[in-house]
Amino acid sequence: TIVKNVSRIFPSKTFTAPISIMWSIPGLLPVVSMSTTVNGTLENMLKSMYMKPLLFTTWNNTNSWLLVSAFIALLAAVIIHFSIRSRPWMRGVRSYVGSFKNWTPTVLRVLTGLVLFLGSFARFLFAPELTSTIFPVVSERVFLAIQLLAGIMLVIGIFPRFSSLMGLVLYIIAALAYPALNVLPYIAFVGIFVYLILVGDSHLPRVRGGTFFADFADIFELEKFAPYAMAIMRIFTTFSFVLVALFYNMYNSETALSALRTHGVDFNSTIGVSNEVFILFSSVSGILLGVLILFGILPRFVGGILLIILLFNMSMFGVYNFIGNLPLFGVAFALLVNGAGEKWSPELKKKKA
């Protein structure tokens, strides 16, 4: 119903296609939740989220102004986007930064492969929070070995499509093994793996010889789906941002406050606002960035802002604790040089035949 109503306002597939896919993903949450509850952990998290929302117990001036400001910022971004997209200087910017777009797969596969490689030695899957010790010893070693192999292949550039498929399968296994709300914040990995599967890496030599691995793209005719790769990565990145902002920062804000206390962060003494207000601000900002990424609004500007935010967070929490988000640097680079992509994008006007 929501998608149908939105399509009346935005009849173009530019808007309705991302919404349709985005709206279907949360529907998987109850299914995954039932199969991933470990000792009631997920049930307790859900109760704490929906029964004790610390930041939204009462409405006040701070909450109201933040929400109003976010709405104004979103409206301003939309207006600016459609007013500058056809300007000559904007076409020049797109042309210049677009000259680096062939590097996107390389940046994505190296950063993602580095996370998988390091995680195999530190005994975690995708992020330090997802320790591999929950598996039996034999299974743990098998999964870590698969992750190590996929990481090495991605970093070196050996069959990047097939190694990305290995990573995607490993993420699905993790989603079934860990509590859903622990693994879904890293669902941006899925978008990156799908991007690499569809696009590959043109910088690498094309190997032919009749092997399944070498002819992987030709067998499944992946080239015709490549224009959708950027849009798919945008959708999964948005879902990751929104999930973290809503479930971890807003409804379960004690987790975020505890992380700040653990790292000795006190924004009241540095910038004059409480940690609670800062968490609320970062949550609203994360949702705003996610919406802009989803609809492809000012993608290059958003990519630059995302880079700054990632560097700021890494300086606060350290490289090790932030390593699970390292591939997001690749997503930011992709937004900078590719914009919103070729499909489901409002960036360029359609040329009349």
Side-chain angles (χ1 to χ4, degrees), residues 88-324:
W89 63 269
M90 192 62 200
R91 290 198 293 268
V93 170
R94 284 196 295 264
S95 176
Y96 175 73
V97 296
S99 62
F100 299 96
K101 67 170 55 178
N102 288 337
W103 286 97
T104 303
T106 303
V107 173
L108 286 171
R109 68 173 175 80
V110 170
L111 290 176
T112 305
L114 188 61
V115 173
L116 301 183
F117 178 81
L118 296 176
S120 301
F121 293 100
R123 299 180 69 184
F124 65 76
L125 299 178
F126 299 103
E129 296 91 331
L130 306 177
T131 56
S132 60
T133 53
I134 71 167
F135 298 104
V137 176
V138 176
S139 300
E140 178 191 13
R141 291 175 178 174
V142 171
F143 292 146
L144 291 179
I146 294 174
Q147 181 176 251
L148 177 63
L149 179 60
I152 292 175
M153 292 174 68
L154 284 171
V155 171
I156 298 178
I158 302 174
F159 305 128
R161 285 187 168 97
F162 186 78
S163 54
S164 298
L165 180 61
M166 292 172 57
L168 181 59
V169 172
L170 193 63
Y171 182 90
I172 294 174
I173 294 173
L176 296 174
Y178 294 96
L181 293 177
N182 286 359
V183 70
L184 286 179
Y186 301 100
I187 201 170
F189 275 97
V190 174
I192 294 173
F193 288 140
V194 172
Y195 181 96
L196 291 172
I197 290 172
L198 297 180
V199 176
D201 191 345
S202 60
H203 282 91
L204 299 174
R206 186 67 182 270
V207 179
R208 292 184 181 275
T211 65
F212 172 78
F213 303 106
D215 298 332
F216 185 73
D218 296 332
I219 293 173
F220 295 100
E221 299 180 349
L222 297 178
E223 295 290 341
K224 63 182 180 181
F225 300 107
Y228 295 93
M230 191 67 199
I232 293 173
M233 187 165 62
R234 279 169 30 217
I235 292 169
F236 280 100
T237 302
T238 295
F239 185 58
S240 177
F241 283 6
V242 173
L243 182 71
V244 170
L246 289 178
F247 290 96
Y248 285 84
N249 291 351
M250 289 187 178
Y251 293 126
N252 196 27
S253 56
E254 184 56 34
T255 302
L257 290 171
S258 176
L260 293 179
R261 288 193 295 267
T262 301
H263 291 86
V265 178
D266 182 14
F267 289 103
N268 192 35
S269 61
T270 54
I271 58 177
V273 298
S274 66
N275 286 354
E276 291 81 0
V277 172
F278 181 83
I279 289 174
L280 180 59
F281 172 78
S282 63
S283 301
V284 174
S285 301
I287 295 174
L288 177 61
L289 282 178
V291 172
L292 294 177
I293 292 173
L294 176 65
F295 291 107
I297 303 297
L298 297 177
R300 292 176 173 83
F301 175 77
V302 172
I305 295 297
L306 180 57
L307 275 176
I308 296 173
I309 293 175
L310 292 172
L311 290 171
F312 175 75
N313 287 342
M314 190 169 62
S315 66
M316 278 202 309
F317 300 110
V319 176
Y320 179 78
N321 294 301
F322 194 70
I323 195 169

